[in-house]
Amino acid sequence: MDELKSLNRRLLIIIPRSIAVKVAALITLGSGLVNLNSVIGPGLPERMALLRNVFPLEFLNLSRFLTVLIGFALVISSINIYNRKKRAFKGVLTLAILSIVFHMSKSLDYEEALFSLFLAVMLFLSRKEFTVKSSTPDIQTGVIRVSISLLIALAYGITGFWFLDRSQFGINFTISNSIRETLLFFSLQGDPGIVPHTHHAQWFLDSLYLVTVTALVYSLFTLFRPVIYIFRILPGERELARQIVTNHGRSSLDYYKFWPDKSFFFSQTQQTFIAYRVGGNYALALGDPVGPEDEIEGIIRDFAEFCQENGWGIGFHQTIPDFLPVYNRLGFRNLKIGDDAIIDLNQFTLEGREKKKIRQKLNQLEESGIHTVHYDPPIPKIILAELKDISDDWLKIPGRRERGFTLGKFEQYYVQSTPVFAAADRDGKLLGYINIIPSYRKGEVTADLMRHRIDAPNGIMDFIFVSYFGYLREKGAERFNLGMAPMSGFQENEDASLEERSIHFFFQNLNFLFSFRGLKQYKAKYATSWEPRYLIYKNTLDLPRLALAIGKVSELKET
């Protein structure tokens, strides 16, 4: 055992860990191809004669069939070995050992058996690298695997016909003949003109059917798994997340945590969850975990282990201050990335010299006949169409585009299901609107989409917001969350590290690229207080890649 450990250490000195996994994947692929190639031609006569004295022909054919199936499985599994999947490691190690047995029993192919032995040894020595658990099945990965399996089946048939001796079928196959015959057998129809002249020729046709059926069955299974997850498992997870948010939500971001673009990580009790999305090989959680407070630390620890097992970096985006001590205890660091603009509806006023311009502008709009209208869901289709026109017009403004993860986008079924507060001219034409979404902080109201026509009068959104604040105050609401102003600096006496202040200084001095100051200045017109939001991360070196990950998970896929 000590000698084995010593060999393992020497191997990892010669071959670094990251390269060892790639080598193992390459050997797995090679071993699978060797298995498939080894059964195409008949075995060496002297070796076969020796085996026939020991085993019946049926047993030899069975060994060859099993070698084909193992070869197919090894080629497919090489992808999972490359991805360091724990289950693939166990499966491929078993297949490598079986390959040794069947290479010897089908035709005493000790050369191929030695290759399989090398694969088994390589896997065993690099076993600690395979820590990744099986991921959630998805259609894109399924399609890739289906394509690979069908290519394996086609390549097996084409290679077999092309390399088989003329004596097997009485035909000297060309590449074009081989492709044609393979496609015919691949359709499970076969070719009546192809007549086997030997036992091996008949076996090859039977094996071609076997590989074809195996590829088709594997393809159906691969595509069926994500379909089952999407239509049976995922809806249940999303509904459970919705219930947890309803019972334990703490912030305005919680509404987005059970949206279709999120994946879910649940605690063992199923009472707490983390909503996340993977981008740039980072699992980015939206805000903090949601659930009973005594489960927060445990699920953060479990999620960190889950990410490590999958080979992902980890980050929590736009967390509230409540759980910073928990993250710090678990070895995380925090970076303030902005402040949510909070309007205390009982304190908000347009009185005073600093609000004079806003008062004058709103009075002008009101005198011109502009007024507000409020629509409760379901929004009438004729109004929805007008809101869509406003949204399309707004998207034409340079720099405006639909984003996701922390925001919604204009989708008819979504907007139709939310209250809408809009401004219209004296003729009733809508000029701009906001749609209202739930905030799970007690007493708080917030909005998602805030859009206006390009030719709407200047100050139209101010008119909508101020009118809505008055409307909310009459309804008894306590505060309105206007959303985050990124990289907005620090409040007086706010505790901040040198690292945080340096990053804020850097971005604020790139204002011509990011326009952070303009966004804060706009929200500051209304804010009566500011609440910090944080990015939780492990290492300072993670920050550039986390920034890229945030960009990737926020981008919407074209449909």
Side-chain angles (χ1 to χ4, degrees), residues 110-369:
Y110 60 84
E111 300 92 346
E112 287 87 346
L114 285 174
F115 196 91
S116 296
L117 177 62
F118 179 62
L119 170 61
V121 171
M122 187 67 187
L123 286 172
F124 181 77
L125 293 177
S126 59
R127 62 193 181 279
K128 292 183 179 179
E129 301 304 308
F130 298 94
T131 59
V132 178
K133 293 183 178 179
S134 298
S135 57
T136 301
D138 63 273
I139 294 291
Q140 183 177 355
T141 302
V143 170
I144 293 173
R145 293 180 183 278
V146 166
S147 301
I148 293 173
S149 67
L150 297 180
L151 284 174
I152 294 170
L154 287 171
Y156 176 77
I158 293 168
T159 304
F161 280 117
W162 191 31
F163 279 107
L164 280 176
D165 189 82
R166 180 185 180 90
S167 62
Q168 303 294 335
F169 291 101
I171 301 173
N172 187 17
F173 289 101
T174 63
I175 285 290
S176 58
N177 292 143
S178 300
I179 294 173
R180 176 181 177 277
E181 295 301 333
T182 299
L183 291 175
L184 285 173
F185 280 89
F186 201 67
S187 66
L188 301 180
Q189 294 180 0
D191 183 357
I194 298 296
V195 179
H197 293 179
T198 65
H199 287 300
H200 182 74
Q202 181 61 57
W203 177 87
F204 172 72
L205 294 183
D206 292 340
S207 72
L208 184 53
Y209 280 125
L210 176 66
V211 169
T212 299
V213 171
T214 300
L216 293 176
V217 170
Y218 176 77
S219 299
L220 289 173
F221 171 76
T222 301
L223 291 177
F224 194 57
R225 284 184 66 229
V227 170
I228 287 290
Y229 176 76
I230 291 171
F231 290 102
R232 179 178 296 178
I233 300 174
L234 184 57
E237 291 184 342
R238 185 169 293 122
E239 181 55 33
L240 178 58
R242 186 193 301 271
Q243 293 173 10
I244 294 173
V245 164
T246 301
N247 295 329
H248 301 284
R250 297 179 180 87
S251 80
S252 58
L253 282 182
D254 289 344
Y255 177 68
Y256 301 107
K257 291 182 180 177
F258 45 82
W259 277 41
D261 64 334
K262 307 300 187 302
S263 297
F264 306 106
F265 181 85
F266 290 94
S267 65
Q268 294 181 357
T269 65
Q270 299 285 290
Q271 294 181 14
T272 307
F273 80 99
I274 291 173
Y276 71 97
R277 190 172 178 184
V278 178
N281 210 35
Y282 273 77
L284 197 68
L286 178 59
D288 300 287
V290 186
E293 195 165 328
D294 59 359
E295 288 196 3
I296 298 300
E297 184 166 347
I299 195 173
I300 293 172
R301 184 186 298 108
D302 292 344
F303 184 64
E305 292 177 0
F306 170 73
C307 292
Q308 185 176 12
E309 289 170 346
N310 280 280
W312 299 330
I314 182 175
F316 294 80
H317 183 48
Q318 291 195 33
T319 67
I320 59 179
D322 302 34
F323 301 114
L324 290 184
V326 175
Y327 291 113
N328 296 152
R329 277 200 304 271
L330 294 173
F332 288 93
R333 307 177 72 174
N334 55 273
L335 168 68
K336 182 184 174 183
I337 55 175
D339 292 277
D340 273 12
I342 306 300
I343 297 94
D344 186 320
L345 297 173
N346 295 317
Q347 293 182 11
F348 177 76
T349 178
L350 287 182
E351 299 299 325
R353 181 180 300 177
E354 68 277 7
K355 301 291 178 65
K356 181 178 178 180
K357 290 184 178 180
I358 298 178
R359 288 197 307 271
Q360 291 175 340
K361 188 62 184 178
L362 298 187
N363 288 336
Q364 291 174 5
L365 292 175
E366 192 168 12
E367 290 170 1
S368 70

Side-chain angles (χ1 to χ4, degrees), residues 431-465:
L431 303 174
Y433 71 93
I434 58 176
N435 78 308
I436 312 306
I437 61 172
S439 172
Y440 290 89
R441 186 193 184 281
K442 186 177 180 181
E444 183 176 87
V445 179
T446 190
D448 181 16
L449 307 180
M450 308 173 186
R451 302 186 175 182
H452 61 83
R453 296 187 188 276
I454 294 178
D455 59 355
N458 186 32
I460 194 67
M461 295 309 296
D462 292 320
F463 187 86
I464 293 173
F465 281 122

Side-chain angles (χ1 to χ4, degrees), residues 88-100:
F89 161 75
K90 295 177 181 178
V92 170
L93 184 59
T94 302
L95 292 175
I97 295 171
L98 290 175
S99 288
I100 298 171

